[in-house]
Amino acid sequence: MFVARDYADGRKADNIGYANFHMKILNSNQEVVYPSASLQKVMTGAMIVQLINETSHSKDPVTQNSLLSRWYPNMKKANQITVGNLMTQTSGIIDTKSESYSGKVLSESAAIEATVHRINHNGLASKGIFRYNNDNYILLAGIIRKVTGKSYAQNFESRIVRRLGLDSTYMWNTVPGKRVKAVSYLYSAGKDYKHAKEPKNNLLSYILGAGNIYTTPEDYYKFQQGLQNGKILNASDYHYLTNLKTKNGTYSGGLYIQSYKHGDGTIKMVYGSLNADNYGNWVELTSVNKKELSCF
């Protein structure tokens, strides 16, 4: 399915296919919400930058150079890995089960504890090399909890949803009953809409801060604007987020930033997937949100 319900220039985009084939609900239905998958990671990264700003004059500030041993003293090599390493996926974490079904729904604290346990069990590679893993952002979600004394969900609601007035963005376990969660399908044996799947709650509870919200293209575009217009971050904060010192390649703070021969010179991209459930989404914009392509 293809969904791009709003373009930056006001055009109406075509929406192809069904969000729920059995119920004959089209993607154009405004009650449909989609799993964010890794599109959420930049939201978590933005909240970390907010905390960096808020604690900058405190006795114990959070910085991109802060070591994880401050919050995770029992994690292997925590005294060698920084917040910046997590945000740029250069921590050395190689957990192959970071997107596996746990068998039960986990609380936020249990999800974080399980992540540290997996990391300690699997070990870590040398830091500094880009290795994409959900665990990096689950640990960042845990830092948000520890610094603020509030749950990730509470921070997400106050720091992202309310500041932007998002009306179609929810944590995985707070989606209202009137909303329609999009179902994924496969093309199989010459037919569309085969093998319907939805993300399981035990998976969504597992990947805290790394891919466990539902949203829409419209709300996600508002969020991207909020990264530079002062509602979430300002332009200077956005530059900080996307140019962290530990960056190795084009990924920083949840976004891929690449050079572009037109416009302002750069584009930002983010891809998300829930592999076991056949979900994939893709967003590509100029860094100042002049053009957009949203595939959910």
Side-chain angles (χ1 to χ4, degrees), residues 75-76 93 95 114-124 135-136 139:
M75 193 184 95
K76 288 182 178 178
I93 293 172
D95 178 17
T115 299
V116 172
H117 175 78
R118 293 194 309 274
I119 292 169
N120 286 342
H121 178 75
N122 293 326
L124 293 96
D135 288 0
N136 290 297
L139 293 177

Side-chain angles (χ1 to χ4, degrees), residues 83-101:
V83 168
N85 289 134
L86 297 181
M87 295 178 75
T88 56
Q89 304 276 5
T90 59
S91 64
I93 293 172
I94 52 176
D95 178 17
T96 60
K97 295 184 177 180
S98 66
E99 198 171 303
S100 300
Y101 291 112

Side-chain angles (χ1 to χ4, degrees), residues 4-273:
R5 294 203 293 236
D6 266 338
Y7 282 104
D9 61 9
R11 288 177 297 129
K12 292 296 182 182
D14 292 330
N15 304 285
I16 300 173
Y18 289 96
N20 189 306
F21 182 71
H22 177 73
M23 299 175 63
K24 295 298 184 284
I25 296 174
L26 294 166
N27 284 310
S28 56
N29 189 308
Q30 295 300 306
E31 297 299 334
V32 176
V33 292
Y34 303 87
S36 71
S38 290
L39 272 62
Q40 182 186 0
K41 287 185 172 70
V42 65
M43 295 175 163
T44 300
M47 286 193 279
I48 290 290
V49 173
Q50 290 174 346
L51 293 181
I52 288 172
N53 290 337
E54 292 167 15
T55 64
S56 61
H57 298 297
S58 69
K59 185 166 35 175
D60 200 7
V62 178
T63 75
Q64 63 177 304
N65 300 315
S66 296
L67 293 172
L68 298 196
S69 52
R70 174 173 165 184
W71 302 287
Y72 302 109
N74 297 321
M75 193 184 95
K76 288 182 178 178
K77 297 187 179 180
N79 62 345
Q80 302 173 33
I81 301 169
T82 66
V83 168
N85 289 134
L86 297 181
M87 295 178 75
T88 56
Q89 304 276 5
T90 59
S91 64
I93 293 172
I94 52 176
D95 178 17
T96 60
K97 295 184 177 180
S98 66
E99 198 171 303
S100 300
Y101 291 112
S102 66
K104 60 181 179 180
V105 173
L106 302 178
S107 66
E108 288 192 6
S109 59
I112 295 163
E113 289 174 7
T115 299
V116 172
H117 175 78
R118 293 194 309 274
I119 292 169
N120 286 342
H121 178 75
N122 293 326
L124 293 96
S126 298
K127 71 173 186 177
I129 298 173
F130 177 80
R131 293 182 178 87
Y132 192 95
N133 199 285
N134 285 327
D135 288 0
N136 290 297
Y137 278 75
I138 298 172
L139 293 177
L140 288 171
I143 291 172
I144 292 169
R145 284 170 48 90
K146 290 172 185 290
V147 172
T148 65
K150 298 179 180 179
S151 70
Y152 178 89
Q154 289 173 312
N155 278 283
F156 182 76
E157 180 69 20
S158 63
R159 294 175 178 276
I160 303 294
V161 175
R162 290 179 193 167
R163 289 193 187 189
L164 294 171
L166 304 181
D167 58 11
S168 299
T169 298
Y170 311 96
M171 291 298 296
W172 66 274
N173 56 346
T174 64
V175 179
K178 69 175 183 177
R179 292 293 189 175
V180 178
K181 296 179 182 179
V183 179
S184 74
Y185 301 92
L186 289 178
Y187 178 80
S188 177
K191 294 183 179 181
D192 288 319
Y193 300 106
K194 307 295 287 185
H195 307 294
K197 279 191 173 184
E198 291 185 57
K200 299 291 192 298
N201 287 342
N202 53 354
L203 171 63
L204 294 178
S205 71
Y206 203 63
I207 50 177
L208 176 69
N212 68 337
I213 66 167
Y214 282 83
T215 188
T216 64
E218 294 92 340
D219 269 14
Y220 197 75
Y221 182 59
K222 288 179 185 178
F223 166 73
Q224 286 293 334
Q225 292 176 307
L227 287 174
Q228 297 183 66
N229 65 12
K231 292 185 177 180
I232 302 299
L233 304 176
N234 59 33
S236 176
D237 294 329
Y238 170 78
H239 183 268
Y240 180 92
L241 175 72
T242 55
N243 290 276
L244 293 159
K245 293 177 182 178
T246 50
K247 182 177 180 179
N248 184 349
T250 63
Y251 186 95
S252 181
L255 292 171
Y256 294 90
I257 306 296
Q258 296 187 1
S259 60
Y260 184 64
K261 63 182 178 181
H262 301 297
D264 67 349
T266 59
I267 56 174
K268 54 182 177 179
M269 299 177 292
V270 56
Y271 173 73
S273 67

